Every structure is written in structure tokens, then in C-alpha cells.
Amino acid sequence: MTSTLSQRTYTVDEYLAQEIASQDRHEYRQGEIVLMAGGTPNHNRIAGNLFAFLNFGLKRQPLDVFIADQRLWIPERRIYTYPDVMVVGQPIELQEGRKDTVTNPIVIAEVLSQSTRSYDKDEKFAAYRSIPNFREYLLIDQYNAHIEHYTKTEGQAWLFREYDGLEATVSFHSFEFSLSLADLYDKVDFAQAEVQVESDLEPS
């Protein structure tokens, strides 16, 4: 879940000053500051599993893997955000004047929740596509063993694949690496996920 900090418009410098001093993480969306709520245990298990396998599988390659707390700047859309998992090519390209904000992800993965699903699939994906280096996007369902995988092909075209069930294996195209959904969803409690969905859907 996300919530806007206030109705006023903030400059980039105002956002960064507040973000450095804050214990919480916020997105910056063209002048709006939006609180990023904490994830569920399943959300964190999935993101943690993906990070761990990628980080080990890509060792000694000119690639860095980051999780959750690494800020990304998307200049064309004037957005700061914190993807769940990013793979970034070396050398890392930082926002001018910053040492804490990257700009050149190759692969981004987001673990979907009920409150952010539409944003991650639509506006956020559109913003990510404005990044020149960006080539692969994974949308990972935390309630079922399901992945939507987008890979950039010729020009501005994107190839779409779906993976279902713990027996499936997702293969990356930006580098040589594959991961079974059984490993990605290790220790994920789908029964608890169903309870969470029912809770999210109840009227407040």
C-alpha cells in the first residue's frame, strides 16, 4: 500500500533532503512524495530468494544485484523509486551529484501486492521503459506461483512470457541465468497469502 505524504508539490532537492532524514522509504513521482508501506513476509521471502540466487549466480560477472533499499532515478519521468530487485551493469551509473542513486538497471523485478499491482504493471513499467539500459522486467505474484516476464527485443518491442507452477523455470536473456519457481517461492506460505488477499478485499 502507498499513501501520498501531502497535497503539495515538492522539488527533487526537498524530496532528497526528507528521504535522507526519514526512517521510511518514499517514492517521488513528479513532485509527489508517496510513502512505501512495508511488505508481507511472503513478499520479503520472494524478493530475498531472487536476490540471493541472482547475487550468487552472477558472481565475478560485471553485474551488481540490489534489493529494496537501493534508490533508482528515472530522469525522463522525474521519478525516484526503490525496485524490489535490480540487476545493474558495471560500471554503475549514478545520478549526477549523488552517490546513493543509480540510473542504469538492466533487469528489474517487482513482487506484486494487491495495492500496487496495477501501478507496477502500467505506469511504473512505462517509466522503467524510458531507461535506455533497461531490458527485462519480472512481475512476480506473491499469492500464486506465477511470473509475468517482459523482454525487450527489436526497437521498442517487448516479448511477453508467463510462467506458472513450481515446476516452471524462468530464464533471463540479458545474461545466462535460470531459476526454478520452486526455488524462488521457497518457504512462501500460500495459505497465508489467501488470508491476506481476503483481508485486503474486505471493505474498510
Side-chain angles (χ1 to χ4, degrees):
M1 182 180 296
T2 58
S3 60
T4 304
L5 193 61
S6 79
Q7 296 301 314
R8 63 161 288 196
T9 298
Y10 294 82
T11 67
V12 164
D13 289 339
E14 286 174 327
Y15 161 76
L16 290 170
Q18 290 191 31
E19 192 70 353
I20 291 169
S22 176
Q23 294 183 348
D24 299 315
R25 290 184 296 124
H26 301 80
E27 282 193 349
Y28 178 85
R29 304 177 188 172
Q30 299 178 352
E32 289 188 347
I33 296 178
V34 182
L35 174 66
M36 301 180 67
T40 64
N42 281 345
H43 183 287
N44 284 283
R45 289 181 185 117
I46 294 166
N49 287 342
L50 179 59
F51 169 79
F53 281 106
L54 279 170
N55 197 47
F56 181 80
L58 299 178
K59 63 182 179 180
R60 291 189 289 275
Q61 295 192 40
L63 299 164
D64 283 295
V65 186
F66 297 110
I67 189 169
D69 288 334
Q70 178 57 62
R71 187 165 56 242
L72 169 67
W73 168 237
I74 309 173
E76 187 170 314
R77 300 301 179 95
R78 296 187 60 76
I79 290 174
Y80 286 101
T81 188
Y82 297 84
D84 287 326
V85 177
M86 284 190 292
V87 180
V88 178
Q90 295 178 352
I92 295 173
E93 296 176 13
L94 298 172
Q95 181 187 7
E96 185 175 357
R98 306 291 309 179
K99 296 182 179 180
D100 54 4
T101 307
V102 303
T103 62
N104 64 318
I106 296 169
V107 175
I108 295 175
E110 298 284 8
V111 181
L112 299 177
S113 65
Q114 291 297 323
S115 59
T116 63
R117 180 183 299 269
S118 294
Y119 175 60
D120 287 342
K121 287 188 174 186
D122 297 327
E123 294 100 321
K124 204 170 194 181
F125 185 24
Y128 288 156
R129 292 198 302 271
S130 72
I131 301 170
N133 304 78
F134 178 57
R135 298 201 295 268
E136 290 189 67
Y137 191 38
L138 273 73
L139 293 166
I140 306 172
D141 198 320
Q142 66 172 299
Y143 309 106
N144 299 282
H146 177 78
I147 296 176
E148 297 180 10
H149 184 191
Y150 296 86
T151 305
K152 191 173 184 179
T153 57
E154 297 294 331
Q156 298 301 313
W158 288 78
L159 177 66
F160 170 66
R161 293 180 177 86
E162 286 185 286
Y163 303 87
D164 285 291
L166 297 177
E167 298 78 18
T169 298
V170 57
S171 296
F172 292 77
H173 295 263
S174 301
F175 39 78
E176 189 174 343
F177 182 79
S178 297
L179 178 64
S180 72
L181 269 65
D183 285 334
L184 178 64
Y185 285 96
D186 182 47
K187 299 182 181 178
V188 171
D189 184 349
F190 290 114
Q192 182 60 42
E194 292 180 5
V195 173
Q196 183 64 43
V197 171
E198 292 175 358
S199 174
D200 290 343
L201 294 176
E202 288 179 358
S204 56

